Amino acid sequence: MASPLKVCIVGSGNWGSAIARIIGDNAKSLERFATTVKMWVFEENINGRKLTDIINTEHENTKYLPGYKLPENVFIRKLCDEMVGCVSARARGITLIKGIDEGPEGLKLISDIIREKMEMDVSVLMGANIANEVAAEKFCETTIGKKNICNGLLFKELLQTPNFRITVVDDADTVELCGALKNIVAVGAGFCDGLLCGDNTKAAVIRLGLMEMIAFAKLFSKNDTVSTATFLESCGVADLITTCYGGRNRRVAEAFAKTGKSIEELEQDMLNGQKLQGPATSAEVYHILKQKSLVDKFPLFTAVYQICFEGRPVREMISCLQSHPEHM
């Protein structure tokens, strides 16, 4: 019989901790996986105590996911600056990070960076999964995008529960792009909430944002394999709707419109040390669009960037909706 597969979680924010609850419970009950799950975390001091000590003794991430116990088989090591050389050549990974990077040749997916640095196969998981609701075991769906079918199904086995239902699809790059781009749209939705525009306007932001997400994915696909059907999975329209109504990007953007404070100030005030993904992703996307002379084709993405970083008035969010091209 093959030796059980060891599982390690890298990162321990609210989402990492919510997923740790699922993985810890499944690893205990599924013979295929080793029962001890290790977690690598950036060390912090919480009221004079190390976060690692708190989690290892109290089995709770009191900073990022308070009120939810982690299984006792989840342990922590300090996150290394450099993981290369520490990981088996037979390892396989899955990324839950909702962001993109801007490389020298343009768009760079987080999974691509991991694949290149770690030299291993990487799947992606994205969906309508607000961490506290997942931790509370409220029903939700999610999507795994895979390059390798065996690995995609392996991660489905590790992560699925009756209340966390997983669909595995081929279009891994589009799944990952959805997870990043929807945060830009959520910032636009938050601006509308701050301006008291109403649900009709917010629905327009979501629809037009989805159009720009699809257009961006098709423009920057490496091999022209983007399937519109992927946007109907949980990683697409479901995650977009959830984030535009319930996520931190929407909430902080609403406060930005109402208070006039900077994004940095609001992160400090509202996010307990966590970072906002939407504005940073809008900056990466804007720089790529500018290089390609395509800024005018993406007025929603562009407006979010300019409002966050260039002092464009929030009220001009509406003018970008009025001037949006009918056909992308």
Side-chain angles (χ1 to χ4, degrees):
M1 180 178 172
S3 57
L5 298 169
K6 297 176 182 177
V7 182
C8 177
I9 303 164
V10 180
S12 62
N14 65 340
W15 186 211
S17 298
I19 284 296
R21 284 169 53 81
I22 291 174
I23 290 174
D25 286 338
N26 281 353
K28 282 190 291 188
S29 62
L30 297 171
E31 291 185 2
R32 191 170 185 180
F33 302 99
T35 54
T36 296
V37 176
K38 292 187 177 179
M39 179 183 275
W40 290 23
V41 61
F42 181 79
E43 187 69 277
E44 297 180 69
N45 280 309
I46 312 297
N47 298 323
R49 293 182 65 193
K50 290 182 178 180
L51 181 58
T52 51
D53 291 341
I54 294 171
I55 295 176
N56 279 337
T57 57
E58 298 175 19
H59 301 286
E60 181 179 349
N61 189 330
T62 55
K63 180 169 184 180
Y64 294 118
L65 195 72
Y68 295 102
K69 290 291 183 182
L70 301 178
E72 293 185 2
N73 57 321
V74 177
F75 291 84
I76 292 178
R77 281 180 56 198
K78 185 175 180 180
L79 181 59
C80 295
D81 288 334
E82 190 58 71
M83 292 177 64
V84 176
C86 302
V87 179
S88 166
R90 292 176 294 143
R92 73 292 306 262
I94 186 165
T95 173
L96 285 66
I97 300 169
K98 296 183 174 180
I100 56 174
D101 196 13
E102 184 192 357
E105 298 173 2
L107 178 69
K108 195 83 170 174
L109 298 174
I110 300 299
S111 63
D112 285 335
I113 296 170
I114 299 170
R115 285 185 196 101
E116 291 169 12
K117 285 198 129 194
M118 309 301 295
E119 297 182 343
M120 66 182 184
D121 182 70
V122 180
S123 304
V124 300
L125 182 147
M126 305 285 156
N129 308 139
I130 291 175
N132 289 62
E133 295 183 13
V134 173
E137 300 181 14
K138 295 180 179 179
F139 178 82
C140 67
E141 300 173 318
T142 199
T143 310
I144 288 178
K146 52 82 177 171
K147 302 281 187 181
N148 176 297
I149 183 62
C150 293
N151 291 341
L153 294 175
L154 174 70
F155 283 113
K156 177 176 180 175
E157 183 181 359
L158 175 66
L159 290 162
Q160 183 160 264
T161 74
N163 286 322
F164 192 67
R165 306 303 294 170
I166 297 172
T167 301
V168 180
V169 302
D170 288 326
D171 200 359
D173 290 354
T174 302
V175 171
E176 188 169 1
L177 272 175
C178 284
L181 297 175
K182 55 93 183 183
N183 285 322
I184 305 176
V185 186
V187 172
F191 290 158
C192 287
D193 288 343
L195 294 169
L196 303 178
C197 292
D199 285 336
N200 293 337
T201 306
K202 191 167 174 177
V205 168
I206 294 171
R207 187 188 75 83
L208 295 171
L210 181 60
M211 286 175 61
E212 291 194 14
M213 287 169 60
I214 295 170
F216 189 92
K218 288 183 174 179
L219 272 173
F220 293 93
S221 169
K222 289 191 277 290
N223 46 20
D224 197 32
T225 57
V226 173
S227 170
T228 305
T230 303
F231 291 89
L232 300 179
E233 299 289 347
S234 181
C235 63
V237 66
D239 195 11
L240 180 61
I241 292 169
T242 296
T243 311
C244 286
Y245 278 90
R248 75 181 79 152
N249 289 278
R250 186 219 64 80
R251 188 161 49 92
V252 174
E254 179 182 19
F256 180 94
K258 286 181 174 178
T259 66
K261 290 184 177 180
S262 70
I263 294 294
E264 292 78 11
E265 288 177 287
L266 292 167
E267 283 178 336
Q268 290 290 326
D269 293 347
M270 301 175 67
L271 296 186
N272 194 30
Q274 296 183 92
K275 301 299 287 184
L276 205 61
Q277 310 101 319
T281 304
S282 77
E284 306 287 4
V285 166
Y286 180 79
H287 293 147
I288 292 166
L289 293 175
K290 198 168 183 181
Q291 286 174 359
K292 306 278 188 182
S293 300
L294 290 170
V295 168
D296 292 344
K297 297 286 187 183
F298 293 84
L300 184 64
F301 286 178
T302 298
V304 169
Y305 167 76
Q306 291 175 338
I307 291 168
C308 287
F309 296 105
E310 294 188 347
R312 186 175 180 181
V314 181
R315 63 181 178 276
E316 291 188 12
M317 184 73 206
I318 307 307
S319 64
C320 90
L321 305 179
Q322 294 165 334
S323 62
H324 206 283
E326 290 186 23
H327 303 286
M328 301 292 290

